[in-house]
């Protein structure tokens, strides 16, 4: 089973996202950006859920580029509406605060099309 790899620096948000996605029937791993990169290279990441900081987003940018080459879809969550163009190759960009129902719907849509 391919997993959803969650890259989220805030532990409380990572727990919420994990619980929600697991409740919806998905396999989830919360990982560092480096571990997400390794999962992409190994071909085991079915989807990345990446939080991008509004000021930097360097790790998210690198992961998105690597995922695009490997054809792994990425959903980006961010608080910065001014940097949306940076994430144009993501399958979805969710602005925080987003509804968890929307997140689950986006993930389900990806796996239904897969």
């Amino acid at each position: 089973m391919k997993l959803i790899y969650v890259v989220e620096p805030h532990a409380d948000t990572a727990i919420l996202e994990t619980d929600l996605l697991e409740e919806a029937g998905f396999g989830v791993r919360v990982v560092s950006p480096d571990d997400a990169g390794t999962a992409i290279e190994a071909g085991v990441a079915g989807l990345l859920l990446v939080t991008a900081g509004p000021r930097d987003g360097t790790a998210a940018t690198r992961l998105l580029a690597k995922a695009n080459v490997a054809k792994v879809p990425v959903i980006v969550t961010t608080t910065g509406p001014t940097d949306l163009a940076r994430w144009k190759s993501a399958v979805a960009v969710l602005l925080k605060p987003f509804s968890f129902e929307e997140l689950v719907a986006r993930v389900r849509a990806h796996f239904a099309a897969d």
Side-chain angles (χ1 to χ4, degrees), residues 31-85:
V31 296
S32 69
D34 288 340
D35 289 342
T38 301
I40 292 168
E41 291 168 359
V44 296
L47 178 76
L48 292 183
L49 176 61
V50 179
T51 294
R55 288 182 237 46
D56 184 9
T58 305
T61 302
R62 282 195 310 267
L63 279 175
L64 190 58
K66 187 179 272 194
N68 284 336
V69 169
K71 305 220 183 304
V72 174
V74 178
I75 295 174
V76 175
T77 64
T78 183
T79 57
T82 58
D83 63 354
L84 293 179

Side-chain angles (χ1 to χ4, degrees), residues 9 11 18 35 91-92:
T18 299
D35 289 342
V91 296

Side-chain angles (χ1 to χ4, degrees), residues 18-41:
T18 299
D19 289 348
L20 177 78
L21 292 168
E22 286 178 343
E23 221 172 83
F26 298 105
V28 181
R29 286 208 178 120
V30 178
V31 296
S32 69
D34 288 340
D35 289 342
T38 301
I40 292 168
E41 291 168 359

